[in-house]
Amino acid sequence: MPAPTCASCHTARAALRRPRSGQALCGPCFCTAFEAEVLHTVVAGRLLPPGAVVAVGASGGKDSTVLAHVLRELAPRLGLTLRLVAVDEGIGGYRDAALAAVRRQAERWGLPLTIVAYEDLFGGWTMDAVARSTAGTGRGRSCCTFCGVLRRRALEEGARLVGATHVVTGHNADDVAETVLMNFLRGDAARLARGGGLGSAGEGGALPRCRPLQFASQKEVVLYAHFRRLDYFSEECVYAPRAFRGHARELLKRLEAVRPTAALDLVHSAERLALAPAVRPPRPGACSRCGALASRALCQACALLDGLARGRPRLAIGEHKHEPRDEGPRSRAQAAAAAF
Ligand SMILES: Nc1ncnc2c1ncn2[C@@H]1O[C@H](COP(=O)(O)OP(=O)(O)OP(=O)(O)O)[C@@H](O)[C@H]1O
């Protein structure tokens, strides 16, 4: 059976059916629709004001590649200046290849690129060193938690370095839905409240952060990259198979098999929960060591580095005398926080 005609231009043959709506579109019309939807997310959510200098967290992966490409298309209309900021976590056999992809993108798109490294920012600690230090302590599976905390800090540092006023990341609807599921599984109302919305407004002196692809499904991100012929790095991080997130991903896939809107439904659920006053977390204060946003005396990054420096990674993060050890609720909650 021949492909149907594109439902938008009514001229070309359709090349795909949109996963959620089933609408048949040709490649160019799909890309135009995708870009218009991201534009709508940014404008309706008032995420990036005209004149903003935007640091795009560039990992070389599909999401941040698509995000940088779409924002570059929209930048003249939105009045944005873009900077790519990549974080080198020091993960042998993984990050170097991903950074090579980011360098190619920066060159092709004529965007300035700044790379900040954990090793320089965090007293010589690379992610590989953290992984070695936590191996055998029951914390080995928490690599993604540690990494997420440090990456968030590193991205903030990099963004400040390039004079950015805003930070954007490429989290898509599936990423956010996985985080919501993880938070539901642990009954973490405070994280659910924080995970909703399109990002954070920049409390406590932190730069405002947002996720303009939050309503885009992973499938459509991949389709956009395909039709725009984007060059990205697609290997999984060497530490990812140990992460709890993989289970949430499997669960989401099974939910989507019977309910194609499941990911987006979860994103909207989190938004509604964020509006519920009863679950709003207390206003965070400042870290006594570095001044960054913190809900305790030390921010997560300083607490983690402190524990690592003392050779006691169990104390570094997620340990509290009243809370269970290892994969207990607290540590899992931080895994979710790390995703944002
Ligand atoms: N090393 C990094 N440097 C800069 N930004 C990063 C880095 N890793 C992740 N990010 C930001 O956080 C977002 C979500 O992170 P995630 O771990 O899902 O990234 P990824 O799987 O490596 O790549 P992507 O999400 O871009 O496909 C990315 O889209 C990107 O904006």
Side-chain angles (χ1 to χ4, degrees):
M1 202 171 76
T5 307
C6 171
S8 180
C9 66
H10 305 289
T11 314
R13 289 263 160 237
L16 64 106
R17 274 194 189 280
R18 298 196 75 174
R20 278 184 211 134
S21 64
Q23 192 185 32
L25 293 177
C26 65
C29 285
F30 165 71
C31 290
T32 305
F34 186 93
E35 286 160 11
E37 285 162 13
V38 177
L39 176 66
H40 176 77
T41 301
V42 171
V43 173
R46 298 183 187 179
L47 302 184
L48 302 168
V53 179
V54 181
V56 182
S59 67
K62 63 182 182 326
D63 299 309
S64 52
T65 300
V66 165
L67 176 64
H69 186 272
V70 172
L71 287 183
R72 186 170 164 270
E73 294 293 310
L74 301 177
R77 279 170 77 180
L78 290 169
L80 306 177
T81 303
L82 300 183
R83 307 264 181 265
L84 299 183
V85 176
V87 177
D88 181 356
E89 301 96 338
I91 302 175
Y94 170 70
R95 190 46 82 195
D96 288 347
L99 287 176
V102 181
R103 285 197 186 89
R104 288 195 298 275
Q105 292 165 0
E107 204 175 303
R108 188 163 308 146
W109 298 334
L111 290 176
L113 166 66
T114 299
I115 301 177
V116 289
Y118 281 8
E119 195 169 12
D120 301 328
L121 293 173
F122 305 126
W125 284 100
T126 61
M127 200 51 221
D128 285 338
V130 172
R132 279 194 298 275
S133 168
T134 57
T137 63
R139 288 274 159 208
R141 281 178 294 165
S142 302
C143 278
C144 296
T145 309
F146 297 153
C147 193
V149 170
L150 297 180
R151 187 193 296 141
R152 189 183 170 91
R153 168 62 61 82
L155 201 50
E156 176 89 12
E157 297 281 338
R160 288 187 186 281
L161 210 63
V162 302
T165 57
H166 292 72
V167 179
V168 296
T169 56
H171 294 95
N172 61 41
D174 297 54
D175 296 328
V176 178
E178 287 161 15
T179 303
V180 173
L181 272 180
M182 291 194 290
N183 287 334
F184 268 119
L185 290 172
R186 59 180 76 97
D188 193 331
R191 299 277 173 201
L192 279 167
R194 234 177 276 164
L198 288 158
S200 59
E203 290 172 311
L207 292 172
R209 256 170 203 258
C210 62
R211 305 181 284 258
L213 300 184
Q214 174 160 332
F215 300 122
S217 72
Q218 180 152 296
K219 281 181 192 147
E220 294 211 341
V221 169
V222 173
L223 284 169
Y224 183 88
H226 170 75
F227 285 111
R228 287 288 189 232
R229 297 175 192 276
L230 301 181
D231 160 31
Y232 63 86
F233 179 74
S234 55
E235 277 171 41
E236 189 176 58
C237 175
V238 294
Y239 298 116
R242 305 181 202 174
F244 179 59
R245 178 171 289 273
H247 299 290
R249 188 164 296 156
E250 282 306 312
L251 183 54
L252 183 62
K253 272 190 202 149
R254 287 166 61 187
L255 284 173
E256 280 188 309
V258 288
R259 185 182 171 98
T261 58
L264 203 58
D265 292 344
L266 282 162
V267 174
H268 289 310
S269 298
E271 282 193 312
R272 282 192 278 276
L273 281 170
L275 295 174
V279 295
R280 265 189 217 145
R283 283 186 77 77
C287 171
S288 59
R289 183 167 305 162
C290 71
L293 204 63
S295 50
R296 297 183 187 182
L298 288 184
C299 70
Q300 286 192 328
C302 285
L304 166 58
L305 293 166
D306 205 39
L308 288 167
R310 284 189 281 137
R312 300 172 71 189
R314 292 186 74 94
L315 291 179
I317 191 167
E319 292 288 333
H320 191 280
K321 64 182 175 185
H322 299 306
E323 292 169 349
R325 294 184 153 223
D326 297 328
E327 290 295 296
R330 181 70 199 156
S331 64
R332 292 191 219 133
Q334 279 158 336
F340 291 98

